[in-house]
């Protein structure tokens, strides 16, 4: 069982990683060495290397390669005929080295529940530590309905209440919530799908389902995602739907970046988005 001191240390470690990533993002073209990066987080190169490798599974130097602008651009290059991303998207394939994204199944809430703000829904929620900071996870009797990175408990609960203003909220841990955490630890495909019970328009649900088809370790763009749902002129609307995603990481909106190769914004902190992309690259290529 993880103690409060464990959570504090985990949060501290991620803050150091985040600070290092902010520095790398600002100076990646200079390809800073280990000593330079470690100095930014006030650690010795030896201890920083060890902590970073424990966190990401690879060295800081390798991680730097994964999150550099040029590498992001290389992920977006398409074969003259058809790209690996296109093939993966069309066949629904994803990396087998971590949780298979297609084992996450979306079920939309009924129009009545959608319009009522969750009236008559019983929602259980609790807080959990992850390698990327604390998350709040909430679920109905059907599946996960909300997951967000948030260190402040009161702010997290306030946002959950605002998202489901008429639901009954109960702070309680359960196996459904804990199954969602397997995306951070599992090396195998789960025997049963992780069910999501989401409140969204038909268009939003379509975009969120499309996000699940972006293979782990790759990225796409807003325009490309619009093409993949047969709405090539709806890139802006796709971006809005991505920004409305209520389930962090399980629906991988962090895998969508700008066509220029820049990672762009992220509602749960752009630095965390960078960390997620780099970490996934590390898991796929380690």
């Amino acid at each position: 069982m993880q103690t409060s001191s464990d959570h504090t240390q985990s949060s501290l470690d991620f803050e150091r990683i985040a600070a290092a990533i902010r520095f790398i993002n600002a100076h990646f073209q200079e390809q800073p060495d280990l000593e330079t990066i470690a100095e930014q987080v006030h650690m010795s190169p030896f201890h920083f290397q060890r902590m970073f490798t424990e966190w990401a599974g690879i060295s800081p130097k390798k991680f730097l390669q994964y999150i550099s602008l040029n590498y992001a651009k290389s992920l977006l290059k398409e074969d003259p005929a058809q790209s690996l991303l296109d093939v993966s998207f069309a066949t629904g394939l994803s990396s087998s080295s971590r949780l298979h994204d297609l084992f996450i199944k979306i079920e939309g809430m009924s129009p009545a529940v959608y319009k009522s703000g969750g009236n008559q829904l019983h929602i259980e929620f609790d807080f959990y530590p992850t390698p990327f900071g604390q998350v709040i996870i909430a679920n109905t009797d059907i599946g996960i309905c909300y997951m967000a990175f948030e260190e402040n408990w009161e702010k997290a609960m306030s946002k959950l209440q605002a998202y489901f203003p008429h639901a009954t909220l109960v702070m309680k841990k359960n196996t459904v919530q804990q199954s969602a955490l397997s995306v951070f630890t599992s090396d195998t495909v789960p025997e049963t799908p992780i069910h999501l019970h989401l409140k969204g328009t038909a268009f939003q649900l379509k975009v969120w389902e499309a996000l699940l088809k972006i293979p782990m370790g790759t990225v796409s763009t807003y325009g490309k995602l619009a093409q993949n749902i047969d709405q090539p002129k709806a890139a802006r609307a796709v971006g809005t739907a991505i920004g409305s995603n209520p389930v962090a990481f399980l629906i991988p909106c962090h895998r969508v970046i700008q066509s220029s190769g820049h990672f762009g914004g992220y509602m749960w902190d752009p630095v965390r988005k960078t960390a997620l992309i780099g970490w996934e690259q590390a898991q796929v290529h380690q």
Side-chain angles (χ1 to χ4, degrees):
M1 178 179 295
Q2 184 131 4
T3 66
S4 59
S5 61
D6 291 333
H7 171 62
T8 300
Q9 185 60 51
S10 177
S11 297
L12 178 60
D13 287 348
F14 180 70
E15 283 304 313
R16 286 175 171 169
I17 297 298
I21 290 172
R22 280 192 288 270
F23 177 79
I24 291 171
N25 276 339
H27 301 276
F28 71 88
Q29 291 175 308
E30 304 164 16
Q31 294 293 294
D33 58 21
L34 176 65
E35 289 74 15
T36 302
I37 300 173
E39 184 179 354
Q40 304 307 308
V41 293
H42 310 292
M43 296 181 68
S44 70
F46 173 78
H47 287 99
F48 175 69
Q49 172 99 350
R50 185 175 65 179
M51 184 190 74
F52 197 102
T53 302
E54 288 176 353
W55 177 83
I58 54 172
S59 69
K61 181 178 180 180
K62 195 71 173 177
F63 190 88
L64 170 60
Q65 295 173 0
Y66 288 152
I67 66 172
S68 70
L69 180 61
N70 288 335
Y71 190 79
K73 286 183 176 179
S74 73
L75 290 174
L76 297 174
K77 287 182 179 178
E78 295 183 280
D79 187 272
Q82 189 173 11
S83 71
L84 178 60
L85 178 58
D86 285 336
V87 173
S88 297
F89 195 101
T91 59
L93 295 177
S94 182
S95 168
S96 61
S97 64
R98 289 277 157 173
L99 183 72
H100 196 306
D101 291 331
L102 296 184
F103 271 69
I104 298 174
K105 303 297 183 183
I106 294 178
E107 180 168 340
M109 294 184 182
S110 69
V113 171
Y114 177 85
K115 292 180 180 179
S116 68
N119 189 28
Q120 298 183 344
L121 276 182
H122 176 84
I123 295 176
E124 296 181 352
F125 71 94
D126 215 321
F127 297 86
Y128 297 86
T130 79
F132 306 97
Q134 178 177 258
V135 292
I136 178 174
I137 306 177
N139 68 282
T140 67
D141 60 347
I142 294 176
I144 302 294
C145 61
Y146 187 85
M147 180 170 168
F149 292 102
E150 181 59 71
E151 295 297 329
N152 185 295
W153 287 36
E154 291 183 0
K155 185 182 295 185
M157 292 173 63
S158 177
K159 290 180 179 178
L160 176 62
Q161 181 70 69
Y163 197 75
F164 295 104
H166 304 300
T168 300
L169 303 179
V170 178
M171 188 171 181
K172 180 182 178 181
K173 281 183 167 60
N174 59 48
T175 56
V176 175
Q177 298 162 12
Q178 292 166 352
S179 70
L181 295 175
S182 64
V183 294
F184 301 110
T185 59
S186 179
D187 288 316
T188 58
V189 175
E191 294 182 0
T192 58
I194 295 175
H195 290 280
L196 305 182
H197 192 201
L198 303 184
K199 183 180 73 170
T201 66
F203 181 78
Q204 287 174 327
L205 292 173
K206 188 174 183 179
V207 172
W208 298 341
E209 287 176 344
L211 288 170
L212 292 174
K213 296 179 182 179
I214 302 175
M216 182 178 183
T218 63
V219 293
S220 187
T221 65
Y222 300 98
K224 187 62 180 175
L225 204 63
Q227 292 177 29
N228 286 331
I229 63 170
D230 298 320
Q231 306 240 6
K233 297 182 179 180
R236 187 179 297 273
V238 164
T240 300
I242 291 173
S244 301
N245 171 26
V247 182
F249 200 76
L250 289 178
I251 296 180
C253 57
H254 60 277
R255 294 178 193 163
V256 181
I257 68 176
Q258 297 173 6
S259 58
S260 64
H262 288 283
F263 290 159
Y266 187 58
M267 75 174 81
W268 295 293
D269 185 1
V271 170
R272 182 174 279 115
K273 177 177 182 175
T274 303
L276 291 171
I277 291 173
W279 182 80
E280 288 189 338
Q281 289 289 337
Q283 309 317 305
V284 171
H285 296 289
Q286 65 184 350

